[in-house]
Amino acid sequence: MESNKGKTSFLVLVALSIVLWEVLFFALIFFINPYSFYDRTSSLHNKPLVLNAAVMNNKNPGLLMHKLEKNIGDFNGRDVLIGSSRVFTGFALCNNGSVLKVSKLGVTSGEIKFLVDTAFHNMANRRIYVELRGVGSVYSQPEKPSLFDFTLGFDSLSVSLISIYNLYFDNDNKRMPGCYDGYGWKEVPPGEASEYQRKHLTYSQLFESQGRQDLLNFMSTVSQSCASGSGQDIVFFIAPIYKTLVDYQKVKQGVAKLKKQLTQINSHCDSVSLVSYSDFDDFAPNQSNWVYKGDNWYDINHFKPNIGDVFLERLFETEAQSSRD
């Protein structure tokens, strides 16, 4: 009899422990989860809770996409710039109130299309800058986060705990998801690029016949997001590529052919244009050009914001001139 009572007490204790853990778990997620409560300001710091975009992306890309979607919805400016980790690290726009940077590590074609759709749906008179890179042919839609992800998901808990660390101890990481100005990115000089990077960063293929067709198909698909007569523009851009990954002249020739093919895009956008780093003498790979000095790159694929600043200046100047014309 005593034995049965002991077992019952033990089971009750286990059950109560589980319930207590779930209550504490839910409370922790509810109050500090950066996924679903990014809007909630910290009562201690009166600033948005911190997000670690790299961790967020690895843990649950669907949740990160949800937050990027919300960032676009909350933005009232005209210009939105969408891209990959190269945009994430290389363009210092996190504190720019007139241009919203929306970037995701390893962003897919489908995710870019989704973000462009969101941006145009949110505001009629808008200009979207879209990075061109290796796009492939799969246009899968991002996975929507579930209620479990928002409340009791371990992914949410792990990112929330990391966010607490960032909030109180890492003053350089107080950023919106997908917004990052490059500080702290692990540096591997371009000359020390791994064999994997050299093998998989196949930028030269983008400017061959099939690669150009893939890019054109991608641009055509994304451009379908525009609504007729809505004052919506899309500017596709090719950010600086390290000189050993692709021949600069090949890029210039490929871009020239792509620009001629833009007329094939059937779109309701007011304008569809293409701007490449190869359009500007600043990025010509001559021996004295500071742009290709190793210490201006985090690694062979990611340039630093000092290079990004030059490219953005040329990009925005070009579009301003096009608007005047």
Side-chain angles (χ1 to χ4, degrees), residues 75-283:
F75 180 63
N76 294 320
R78 184 186 181 197
D79 294 344
V80 177
L81 192 148
I82 298 172
S84 66
S85 60
R86 286 156 50 76
V87 166
F88 184 68
T89 58
F91 293 160
L93 292 170
C94 293
N95 296 315
N96 186 317
S98 60
V99 181
L100 175 67
K101 180 172 76 170
V102 182
S103 52
K104 177 179 178 292
L105 284 66
V107 68
T108 67
S109 304
E111 288 169 339
I112 289 177
K113 177 68 165 61
F114 174 80
L115 293 171
V116 172
D117 285 345
T118 301
F120 279 144
H121 178 75
N122 174 253
M123 181 179 289
N125 185 24
R126 177 160 269 175
R127 180 190 293 122
I128 312 294
Y129 296 88
V130 179
E131 181 189 14
L132 282 186
R133 49 194 292 277
V135 295
S137 59
V138 178
Y139 293 90
S140 58
Q141 289 299 316
E143 178 185 351
K144 284 289 186 181
S146 66
L147 179 62
F148 178 85
D149 291 323
F150 278 135
T151 54
L152 301 180
F154 281 94
D155 288 341
S156 295
L157 175 63
S158 64
V159 176
S160 294
L161 293 175
I162 290 171
S163 294
I164 289 179
Y165 168 79
N166 289 337
L167 178 62
Y168 292 102
F169 303 105
D170 186 358
N171 293 324
D172 296 304
N173 200 28
K174 293 177 173 59
R175 294 286 186 255
M176 294 168 64
C179 201
Y180 180 83
D181 287 341
Y183 178 83
W185 189 264
K186 183 180 179 181
E187 295 193 33
V188 180
E192 298 176 20
S194 68
E195 188 61 31
Y196 177 86
Q197 287 178 310
R198 295 184 188 279
K199 182 178 180 181
H200 288 83
L201 294 174
T202 53
Y203 285 107
S204 61
Q205 294 179 11
L206 293 179
F207 305 101
E208 296 170 358
S209 178
Q210 184 57 54
R212 292 198 309 273
Q213 188 58 53
D214 287 344
L215 290 176
L216 193 65
N217 291 342
F218 170 73
M219 289 190 284
S220 180
T221 300
V222 171
S223 298
Q224 302 309 310
S225 302
C226 294
S228 182
S230 57
Q232 297 173 338
D233 304 317
I234 292 184
V235 182
F236 294 100
F237 68 89
I238 300 172
I241 303 172
Y242 195 72
K243 61 183 181 180
T244 60
L245 291 178
V246 62
D247 181 81
Y248 183 76
Q249 292 304 319
K250 187 174 186 178
V251 177
K252 287 182 74 74
Q253 293 165 10
V255 168
K257 292 176 180 178
L258 273 173
K259 288 183 177 181
K260 290 180 180 178
Q261 292 176 293
L262 287 180
T263 56
Q264 299 177 20
I265 295 178
N266 182 19
S267 167
H268 293 301
C269 299
D270 275 20
S271 68
V272 177
S273 57
L274 170 60
V275 178
S276 169
Y277 75 103
S278 60
D279 295 338
F280 312 111
D281 292 339
D282 306 80
F283 302 100

